[in-house]
Amino acid sequence: VILIMIALKKTKTFKKKTITKDEINAIIALVNQYGGIPYAEKKMFELRDEAKQIIAPYLTDASNSDLLDLVDFVVNRSK
């Protein structure tokens, strides 16, 4: 989130009500330039693992593993 706010400020779109495609592309370029996507993916996997550790003690049978499958689905899904 902070990286996106910095990108918005650098592209002077932070206080605008609408953003053009060119401005969106500039923001995406800045996020990529500063490693925002790899950082977000790393954090996502860390939080997934933490969630699984928190959930695991409460699972009582195989059917409850569906909850763990849901966590994996959310992390691994594509658009």
Side-chain angles (χ1 to χ4, degrees):
V1 172
I2 292 172
L3 190 56
I4 293 172
M5 290 175 65
I6 292 168
L8 287 169
K9 285 182 180 181
K10 286 190 177 213
T11 58
K12 296 182 171 90
T13 58
F14 192 66
K15 293 184 179 181
K16 291 174 69 175
K17 292 185 180 183
T18 60
I19 299 174
T20 67
K21 274 192 173 239
D22 287 340
E23 291 167 330
I24 290 171
N25 289 333
I27 292 166
I28 291 169
L30 284 169
V31 169
N32 287 328
Q33 177 183 346
Y34 290 104
I37 302 301
Y39 172 79
E41 287 176 338
K42 179 182 175 220
K43 194 67 175 172
M44 175 181 63
F45 292 126
E46 289 172 2
L47 292 172
R48 176 206 57 198
D49 295 342
E50 183 180 339
K52 285 180 155 186
Q53 288 177 351
I54 292 168
I55 293 168
Y58 299 101
L59 301 179
T60 57
D61 59 31
S63 65
N64 287 337
S65 70
D66 290 344
L67 192 54
L68 294 175
D69 292 340
L70 177 61
V71 172
D72 284 329
F73 171 76
V74 169
V75 169
N76 297 324
R77 68 187 173 90
S78 60
K79 286 184 177 182

Coordinates of all heavy atoms in Angstrom, one line a residue:
V1 N 0.8 -1.2 0.0 CA 0.0 0.0 0.0 C 0.9 1.3 0.0 O 0.6 2.2 -0.7 CB -1.0 0.0 1.2 CG1 -1.7 1.3 1.3 CG2 -1.9 -1.2 1.1
I2 N 1.9 1.2 0.8 CA 2.8 2.4 0.9 C 3.5 2.6 -0.5 O 3.6 3.8 -0.9 CB 3.8 2.3 2.0 CG1 3.1 2.3 3.4 CG2 4.9 3.4 1.9 CD1 3.9 2.0 4.6
L3 N 3.9 1.6 -1.1 CA 4.6 1.7 -2.4 C 3.6 2.3 -3.4 O 4.0 3.1 -4.2 CB 5.0 0.3 -2.8 CG 6.0 0.2 -4.0 CD1 7.2 1.1 -3.8 CD2 6.4 -1.2 -4.3
I4 N 2.4 1.9 -3.4 CA 1.4 2.4 -4.3 C 1.2 3.9 -4.1 O 1.1 4.7 -5.0 CB 0.1 1.7 -4.3 CG1 0.3 0.2 -4.8 CG2 -1.0 2.4 -5.1 CD1 -0.9 -0.7 -4.7
M5 N 1.1 4.3 -2.8 CA 1.0 5.7 -2.4 C 2.2 6.5 -2.9 O 2.0 7.6 -3.5 CB 0.8 5.9 -0.9 CG -0.6 5.4 -0.4 SD -0.7 5.4 1.3 CE -0.7 7.2 1.6
I6 N 3.4 6.0 -2.8 CA 4.6 6.7 -3.3 C 4.5 6.8 -4.8 O 4.8 7.9 -5.4 CB 5.8 5.9 -2.9 CG1 6.0 6.0 -1.4 CG2 7.1 6.5 -3.6 CD1 7.1 5.1 -0.8
A7 N 4.1 5.7 -5.5 CA 3.9 5.8 -6.9 C 2.9 6.8 -7.3 O 3.1 7.6 -8.3 CB 3.5 4.4 -7.5
L8 N 1.8 6.9 -6.6 CA 0.8 7.9 -7.0 C 1.3 9.3 -6.8 O 1.1 10.2 -7.6 CB -0.5 7.7 -6.1 CG -1.4 6.5 -6.4 CD1 -2.4 6.3 -5.2 CD2 -2.1 6.7 -7.7
K9 N 2.1 9.5 -5.7 CA 2.6 10.9 -5.5 C 3.7 11.2 -6.6 O 3.7 12.3 -7.1 CB 3.3 11.0 -4.2 CG 2.3 11.1 -3.0 CD 3.0 11.2 -1.7 CE 1.9 11.3 -0.6 NZ 2.5 11.4 0.7
K10 N 4.5 10.2 -7.0 CA 5.5 10.5 -8.0 C 4.8 10.8 -9.4 O 5.4 11.5 -10.2 CB 6.5 9.3 -8.1 CG 7.4 9.3 -7.0 CD 8.5 8.2 -7.2 CE 9.5 8.3 -6.1 NZ 10.8 8.0 -6.5
T11 N 3.7 10.2 -9.6 CA 3.0 10.4 -10.9 C 2.0 11.6 -10.8 O 1.2 11.8 -11.7 CB 2.3 9.2 -11.4 OG1 1.4 8.7 -10.4 CG2 3.3 8.1 -11.7
K12 N 2.0 12.2 -9.7 CA 1.1 13.4 -9.4 C -0.4 13.0 -9.6 O -1.2 13.9 -10.0 CB 1.5 14.5 -10.3 CG 2.9 15.1 -10.0 CD 3.2 16.2 -10.9 CE 4.5 16.9 -10.5 NZ 5.7 16.4 -11.0
T13 N -0.7 11.8 -9.2 CA -2.2 11.4 -9.3 C -2.8 11.2 -8.0 O -3.9 10.8 -7.9 CB -2.3 10.1 -10.1 OG1 -1.5 9.1 -9.5 CG2 -1.8 10.3 -11.6
F14 N -2.1 11.5 -6.9 CA -2.5 11.1 -5.6 C -3.9 11.8 -5.2 O -4.7 11.2 -4.6 CB -1.5 11.5 -4.5 CG -1.7 10.9 -3.2 CD1 -1.7 9.6 -3.0 CD2 -2.0 11.8 -2.1 CE1 -1.9 9.0 -1.7 CE2 -2.2 11.2 -0.9 CZ -2.2 9.9 -0.7
K15 N -4.1 13.1 -5.6 CA -5.3 13.8 -5.2 C -6.3 13.9 -6.3 O -7.4 14.5 -6.1 CB -4.9 15.2 -4.7 CG -4.1 15.1 -3.4 CD -3.8 16.5 -2.8 CE -3.1 16.4 -1.5 NZ -2.8 17.6 -0.9
K16 N -6.0 13.3 -7.4 CA -7.0 13.4 -8.5 C -8.1 12.4 -8.3 O -8.0 11.4 -7.7 CB -6.3 13.0 -9.9 CG -5.3 14.1 -10.3 CD -4.5 13.6 -11.5 CE -5.4 13.6 -12.7 NZ -4.7 13.2 -14.0
K17 N -9.3 12.7 -8.9 CA -10.4 11.9 -8.7 C -10.5 10.8 -9.8 O -11.1 9.7 -9.6 CB -11.7 12.7 -8.8 CG -11.9 13.6 -7.6 CD -13.2 14.3 -7.6 CE -13.3 15.1 -6.3 NZ -14.6 15.8 -6.2
T18 N -9.8 11.0 -10.9 CA -9.7 10.0 -12.0 C -8.3 9.9 -12.4 O -7.5 10.8 -12.3 CB -10.6 10.4 -13.2 OG1 -10.1 11.7 -13.7 CG2 -12.0 10.6 -12.9
I19 N -8.0 8.7 -12.9 CA -6.6 8.4 -13.3 C -6.7 7.8 -14.7 O -7.5 7.0 -15.0 CB -6.0 7.3 -12.3 CG1 -5.9 7.9 -10.9 CG2 -4.6 6.9 -12.8 CD1 -5.5 6.8 -9.9
T20 N -5.8 8.3 -15.6 CA -5.7 7.9 -17.0 C -5.0 6.5 -17.1 O -4.3 6.1 -16.2 CB -5.0 8.9 -17.8 OG1 -3.7 9.0 -17.5 CG2 -5.7 10.3 -17.7
K21 N -5.1 5.9 -18.2 CA -4.4 4.7 -18.5 C -2.9 4.9 -18.4 O -2.1 4.0 -17.9 CB -4.8 4.1 -19.8 CG -6.0 3.2 -19.8 CD -6.1 2.4 -21.1 CE -7.3 1.5 -21.0 NZ -6.9 0.1 -21.2
D22 N -2.4 6.0 -19.0 CA -1.0 6.3 -18.9 C -0.5 6.4 -17.5 O 0.6 6.0 -17.2 CB -0.7 7.6 -19.7 CG -0.8 7.4 -21.2 OD1 -0.7 6.3 -21.7 OD2 -1.0 8.4 -21.9
E23 N -1.3 7.1 -16.6 CA -0.9 7.2 -15.2 C -0.9 5.8 -14.5 O 0.0 5.5 -13.7 CB -1.9 8.2 -14.5 CG -1.7 9.6 -15.0 CD -2.8 10.5 -14.5 OE1 -4.0 10.0 -14.3 OE2 -2.5 11.7 -14.3
I24 N -1.9 5.0 -14.9 CA -1.9 3.6 -14.3 C -0.7 2.9 -14.7 O 0.0 2.2 -13.9 CB -3.2 2.9 -14.7 CG1 -4.4 3.5 -14.0 CG2 -3.1 1.4 -14.4 CD1 -5.7 3.0 -14.5
N25 N -0.3 3.0 -16.0 CA 0.9 2.3 -16.5 C 2.2 2.8 -15.8 O 3.1 2.1 -15.5 CB 1.0 2.5 -18.0 CG 0.0 1.6 -18.8 OD1 -0.5 0.6 -18.2 ND2 -0.4 2.1 -19.9
A26 N 2.2 4.2 -15.5 CA 3.3 4.7 -14.8 C 3.4 4.2 -13.4 O 4.5 3.9 -12.9 CB 3.2 6.3 -14.8
I27 N 2.3 4.0 -12.8 CA 2.2 3.5 -11.4 C 2.7 2.0 -11.4 O 3.5 1.6 -10.6 CB 0.8 3.6 -10.8 CG1 0.5 5.1 -10.6 CG2 0.7 2.8 -9.5 CD1 -1.0 5.4 -10.3
I28 N 2.2 1.3 -12.4 CA 2.7 -0.1 -12.5 C 4.2 -0.2 -12.7 O 4.8 -1.1 -12.1 CB 1.9 -0.9 -13.6 CG1 0.4 -1.0 -13.2 CG2 2.5 -2.2 -14.0 CD1 -0.5 -1.5 -14.4
A29 N 4.7 0.7 -13.6 CA 6.1 0.7 -13.8 C 6.9 1.0 -12.5 O 7.9 0.3 -12.3 CB 6.5 1.7 -14.9
L30 N 6.4 1.9 -11.7 CA 7.1 2.2 -10.5 C 7.0 1.1 -9.5 O 8.0 0.7 -8.8 CB 6.5 3.5 -9.9 CG 7.0 4.8 -10.5 CD1 6.1 6.0 -10.0 CD2 8.4 5.1 -10.3
V31 N 5.9 0.4 -9.4 CA 5.7 -0.7 -8.5 C 6.7 -1.8 -8.9 O 7.4 -2.4 -8.1 CB 4.3 -1.2 -8.5 CG1 4.2 -2.6 -7.8 CG2 3.4 -0.2 -7.8
N32 N 6.8 -2.1 -10.2 CA 7.7 -3.1 -10.7 C 9.2 -2.7 -10.5 O 10.0 -3.5 -10.1 CB 7.5 -3.3 -12.2 CG 6.3 -4.1 -12.5 OD1 5.8 -4.9 -11.7 ND2 5.6 -3.9 -13.6
Q33 N 9.5 -1.4 -10.7 CA 10.9 -0.9 -10.5 C 11.3 -1.1 -9.1 O 12.5 -1.4 -8.9 CB 10.9 0.6 -10.9 CG 12.2 1.3 -10.6 CD 12.2 2.8 -10.9 OE1 11.3 3.3 -11.5 NE2 13.2 3.5 -10.5
Y34 N 10.5 -0.9 -8.1 CA 10.8 -1.0 -6.7 C 10.6 -2.4 -6.1 O 10.6 -2.6 -4.9 CB 10.2 0.1 -5.9 CG 10.7 1.5 -6.2 CD1 10.0 2.3 -7.0 CD2 11.9 1.8 -5.8 CE1 10.5 3.6 -7.3 CE2 12.5 3.1 -6.1 CZ 11.7 4.0 -6.8 OH 12.2 5.2 -7.1
G35 N 10.2 -3.4 -7.0 CA 10.1 -4.7 -6.5 C 8.8 -5.0 -5.7 O 8.8 -5.9 -4.9
G36 N 7.8 -4.2 -6.0 CA 6.5 -4.3 -5.2 C 5.8 -5.7 -5.4 O 5.3 -6.2 -4.4
I37 N 5.9 -6.2 -6.6 CA 5.2 -7.5 -6.9 C 5.9 -8.7 -6.1 O 5.2 -9.4 -5.4 CB 5.0 -7.8 -8.4 CG1 4.2 -6.7 -9.0 CG2 4.4 -9.2 -8.6 CD1 2.8 -6.4 -8.5
P38 N 7.2 -8.8 -6.3 CA 7.9 -9.9 -5.5 C 7.7 -9.8 -4.0 O 7.5 -10.8 -3.3 CB 9.3 -9.8 -6.0 CG 9.3 -9.1 -7.3 CD 8.1 -8.2 -7.2
Y39 N 7.7 -8.5 -3.5 CA 7.5 -8.3 -2.1 C 6.1 -8.8 -1.7 O 6.0 -9.4 -0.7 CB 7.8 -6.9 -1.7 CG 7.4 -6.6 -0.3 CD1 8.2 -6.9 0.8 CD2 6.1 -6.0 0.0 CE1 7.9 -6.7 2.1 CE2 5.8 -5.8 1.3 CZ 6.6 -6.1 2.4 OH 6.3 -5.9 3.7
A40 N 5.1 -8.4 -2.4 CA 3.8 -8.7 -2.1 C 3.6 -10.2 -2.2 O 2.9 -10.8 -1.3 CB 2.8 -8.0 -3.1
E41 N 4.2 -10.9 -3.1 CA 4.0 -12.3 -3.2 C 4.7 -13.0 -2.1 O 4.2 -14.0 -1.5 CB 4.6 -12.8 -4.6 CG 3.8 -12.5 -5.8 CD 4.4 -12.9 -7.1 OE1 5.7 -13.1 -7.1 OE2 3.7 -13.1 -8.0
K42 N 5.9 -12.5 -1.7 CA 6.6 -13.1 -0.5 C 5.8 -13.0 0.7 O 5.6 -13.9 1.5 CB 8.0 -12.4 -0.4 CG 8.8 -12.9 0.8 CD 10.1 -12.1 0.9 CE 10.8 -12.6 2.2 NZ 11.4 -11.5 2.9
K43 N 5.2 -11.8 0.9 CA 4.4 -11.5 2.1 C 3.1 -12.4 2.1 O 2.7 -12.9 3.1 CB 4.0 -10.0 2.1 CG 3.4 -9.6 3.4 CD 4.5 -9.7 4.5 CE 4.0 -9.1 5.8 NZ 4.9 -9.3 6.9
M44 N 2.5 -12.6 0.9 CA 1.3 -13.4 0.8 C 1.6 -14.8 1.2 O 0.8 -15.4 2.0 CB 0.9 -13.4 -0.7 CG -0.3 -14.3 -1.0 SD -0.8 -14.3 -2.7 CE 0.6 -14.9 -3.5
F45 N 2.8 -15.4 0.8 CA 3.1 -16.8 1.2 C 3.4 -16.9 2.7 O 3.1 -17.8 3.3 CB 4.3 -17.3 0.3 CG 3.9 -17.5 -1.1 CD1 4.6 -16.9 -2.1 CD2 2.8 -18.3 -1.5 CE1 4.3 -17.1 -3.5 CE2 2.5 -18.4 -2.8 CZ 3.2 -17.8 -3.8
E46 N 4.1 -15.8 3.2 CA 4.3 -15.8 4.7 C 3.0 -15.8 5.4 O 2.9 -16.6 6.4 CB 5.1 -14.6 5.0 CG 6.6 -14.6 4.6 CD 7.3 -13.3 4.8 OE1 6.7 -12.4 5.4 OE2 8.5 -13.2 4.4
L47 N 2.1 -15.0 5.0 CA 0.8 -14.9 5.7 C 0.0 -16.2 5.5 O -0.7 -16.6 6.5 CB 0.0 -13.7 5.2 CG 0.6 -12.4 5.6 CD1 -0.1 -11.2 5.0 CD2 0.6 -12.2 7.2
R48 N 0.1 -16.8 4.3 CA -0.6 -18.1 4.1 C -0.1 -19.2 5.1 O -0.8 -19.9 5.8 CB -0.3 -18.6 2.7 CG -0.9 -20.0 2.4 CD -0.2 -20.8 1.3 NE 1.2 -20.9 1.6 CZ 2.1 -21.2 0.7 NH1 1.7 -21.4 -0.6 NH2 3.4 -21.3 1.0
D49 N 1.3 -19.2 5.2 CA 1.9 -20.2 6.1 C 1.5 -19.9 7.6 O 1.2 -20.9 8.4 CB 3.4 -20.2 6.0 CG 3.8 -20.7 4.6 OD1 3.0 -21.3 3.9 OD2 5.0 -20.4 4.3
E50 N 1.4 -18.7 8.0 CA 1.0 -18.3 9.3 C -0.5 -18.7 9.6 O -0.8 -19.2 10.6 CB 1.2 -16.8 9.5 CG 0.9 -16.3 10.9 CD 1.1 -14.8 11.1 OE1 1.8 -14.2 10.3 OE2 0.5 -14.3 12.0
A51 N -1.3 -18.4 8.6 CA -2.7 -18.8 8.7 C -2.9 -20.3 8.9 O -3.7 -20.7 9.7 CB -3.5 -18.3 7.5
K52 N -2.2 -21.1 8.1 CA -2.3 -22.5 8.2 C -1.8 -23.0 9.6 O -2.4 -23.9 10.1 CB -1.4 -23.2 7.1 CG -2.1 -23.1 5.8 CD -1.2 -23.8 4.8 CE -1.9 -24.3 3.6 NZ -1.1 -25.1 2.7
Q53 N -0.8 -22.4 10.1 CA -0.3 -22.8 11.5 C -1.3 -22.5 12.5 O -1.5 -23.2 13.5 CB 1.0 -22.1 11.8 CG 2.2 -22.6 11.0 CD 3.5 -21.9 11.3 OE1 3.5 -20.9 12.0 NE2 4.6 -22.4 10.8
I54 N -2.0 -21.4 12.3 CA -3.1 -21.0 13.3 C -4.3 -21.9 13.2 O -4.9 -22.3 14.2 CB -3.5 -19.5 13.1 CG1 -2.3 -18.6 13.5 CG2 -4.7 -19.1 13.9 CD1 -2.5 -17.1 13.0
I55 N -4.7 -22.2 12.0 CA -5.8 -23.1 11.8 C -5.6 -24.5 12.2 O -6.5 -25.2 12.7 CB -6.3 -23.0 10.3 CG1 -6.8 -21.6 10.0 CG2 -7.3 -24.0 9.9 CD1 -6.9 -21.3 8.5
A56 N -4.4 -25.0 11.9 CA -4.2 -26.5 12.0 C -4.6 -27.1 13.4 O -5.2 -28.2 13.4 CB -2.7 -26.8 11.7
P57 N -4.3 -26.5 14.5 CA -4.7 -27.1 15.8 C -6.2 -27.3 16.0 O -6.6 -28.1 16.8 CB -4.1 -26.1 16.8 CG -3.1 -25.3 16.1 CD -3.5 -25.3 14.7
Y58 N -7.0 -26.5 15.2 CA -8.4 -26.6 15.4 C -9.1 -27.6 14.5 O -10.3 -27.9 14.6 CB -9.0 -25.2 15.2 CG -8.5 -24.2 16.2 CD1 -7.5 -23.3 15.8 CD2 -9.0 -24.2 17.5 CE1 -7.1 -22.4 16.7 CE2 -8.5 -23.3 18.4 CZ -7.6 -22.4 18.0 OH -7.1 -21.5 18.9
L59 N -8.3 -28.2 13.6 CA -8.9 -29.2 12.7 C -9.0 -30.5 13.4 O -8.1 -31.0 14.0 CB -8.0 -29.3 11.5 CG -7.8 -28.0 10.7 CD1 -6.9 -28.3 9.5 CD2 -9.1 -27.5 10.2
T60 N -10.2 -31.1 13.3 CA -10.5 -32.3 14.0 C -10.6 -33.6 13.1 O -10.4 -34.7 13.6 CB -11.8 -32.2 14.8 OG1 -12.8 -31.9 13.9 CG2 -11.7 -31.2 15.9
D61 N -10.9 -33.4 11.9 CA -10.9 -34.6 11.0 C -10.6 -34.1 9.5 O -10.3 -33.0 9.3 CB -12.3 -35.2 11.0 CG -13.4 -34.3 10.7 OD1 -13.2 -33.4 9.8 OD2 -14.5 -34.5 11.2
A62 N -10.6 -35.1 8.6 CA -10.2 -34.8 7.2 C -11.1 -33.8 6.6 O -10.6 -33.0 5.7 CB -10.2 -36.1 6.5
S63 N -12.3 -33.8 6.9 CA -13.2 -32.8 6.2 C -12.9 -31.4 6.6 O -13.1 -30.5 5.8 CB -14.7 -33.1 6.6 OG -14.9 -32.8 8.0
N64 N -12.3 -31.1 7.7 CA -11.9 -29.8 8.1 C -10.6 -29.3 7.3 O -10.3 -28.1 7.3 CB -11.6 -29.7 9.6 CG -12.9 -29.7 10.4 OD1 -13.9 -29.4 9.9 ND2 -12.7 -30.1 11.6
S65 N -10.0 -30.2 6.6 CA -8.8 -29.8 5.8 C -9.3 -29.0 4.7 O -8.5 -28.3 4.0 CB -8.0 -31.0 5.3 OG -8.8 -31.7 4.4
D66 N -10.6 -29.0 4.4 CA -11.1 -28.1 3.3 C -10.8 -26.6 3.6 O -10.5 -25.8 2.7 CB -12.6 -28.2 3.2 CG -13.0 -29.6 2.6 OD1 -12.2 -30.2 2.1 OD2 -14.2 -29.9 2.8
L67 N -10.7 -26.3 4.9 CA -10.3 -24.9 5.3 C -8.9 -24.6 4.8 O -8.6 -23.5 4.3 CB -10.5 -24.7 6.8 CG -10.4 -23.3 7.3 CD1 -11.4 -22.4 6.6 CD2 -10.7 -23.3 8.8
L68 N -8.0 -25.5 5.0 CA -6.6 -25.4 4.5 C -6.6 -25.3 3.0 O -5.8 -24.5 2.4 CB -5.7 -26.5 5.0 CG -5.5 -26.6 6.6 CD1 -4.7 -27.8 6.9 CD2 -4.9 -25.3 7.1
D69 N -7.4 -26.1 2.4 CA -7.5 -26.1 0.9 C -7.9 -24.7 0.4 O -7.5 -24.2 -0.6 CB -8.4 -27.2 0.4 CG -7.8 -28.6 0.6 OD1 -6.6 -28.7 0.8 OD2 -8.6 -29.5 0.5
L70 N -8.9 -24.1 1.2 CA -9.4 -22.8 0.8 C -8.2 -21.7 0.9 O -8.1 -20.9 0.0 CB -10.5 -22.4 1.7 CG -11.1 -21.0 1.5 CD1 -11.7 -20.9 0.1 CD2 -12.2 -20.7 2.5
V71 N -7.4 -21.8 1.9 CA -6.3 -20.9 2.1 C -5.4 -21.1 0.8 O -5.0 -20.1 0.2 CB -5.5 -21.2 3.4 CG1 -4.2 -20.3 3.4 CG2 -6.4 -20.8 4.6
D72 N -5.1 -22.3 0.5 CA -4.2 -22.5 -0.7 C -4.9 -22.0 -2.0 O -4.2 -21.4 -2.8 CB -3.9 -24.0 -0.9 CG -2.9 -24.5 0.1 OD1 -2.0 -23.7 0.5 OD2 -3.0 -25.7 0.5
F73 N -6.2 -22.2 -2.1 CA -6.9 -21.7 -3.3 C -6.8 -20.2 -3.4 O -6.5 -19.7 -4.5 CB -8.3 -22.1 -3.3 CG -9.2 -21.5 -4.4 CD1 -9.1 -22.0 -5.6 CD2 -10.0 -20.4 -4.1 CE1 -9.8 -21.4 -6.7 CE2 -10.7 -19.8 -5.1 CZ -10.6 -20.3 -6.4
V74 N -7.0 -19.5 -2.3 CA -6.9 -18.0 -2.4 C -5.6 -17.6 -2.8 O -5.4 -16.6 -3.6 CB -7.4 -17.4 -1.0 CG1 -7.1 -16.0 -1.0 CG2 -8.8 -17.7 -0.8
V75 N -4.5 -18.2 -2.3 CA -3.2 -17.8 -2.6 C -2.7 -18.2 -4.0 O -2.1 -17.4 -4.7 CB -2.2 -18.4 -1.6 CG1 -0.7 -18.2 -2.0 CG2 -2.4 -17.8 -0.2
N76 N -3.2 -19.4 -4.5 CA -2.7 -19.9 -5.8 C -3.6 -19.6 -7.0 O -3.2 -19.9 -8.1 CB -2.5 -21.4 -5.6 CG -1.5 -21.8 -4.6 OD1 -0.5 -21.1 -4.5 ND2 -1.7 -22.9 -3.9
R77 N -4.7 -19.0 -6.7 CA -5.6 -18.7 -7.9 C -5.0 -17.7 -8.8 O -4.2 -16.9 -8.4 CB -7.0 -18.3 -7.4 CG -7.0 -16.9 -6.8 CD -8.3 -16.6 -6.2 NE -8.3 -15.3 -5.4 CZ -8.5 -14.2 -5.9 NH1 -8.9 -14.1 -7.2 NH2 -8.5 -13.1 -5.2
S78 N -5.5 -17.8 -10.0 CA -5.1 -16.8 -11.0 C -6.3 -16.0 -11.4 O -7.4 -16.3 -11.0 CB -4.5 -17.5 -12.3 OG -5.4 -18.3 -12.9
K79 N -6.1 -14.9 -12.1 CA -7.2 -14.0 -12.5 C -8.4 -14.7 -13.0 O -8.6 -15.6 -13.6 CB -6.8 -13.0 -13.5 CG -5.9 -12.0 -12.9 CD -5.6 -10.9 -13.9 CE -4.7 -9.8 -13.3 NZ -4.4 -8.8 -14.3

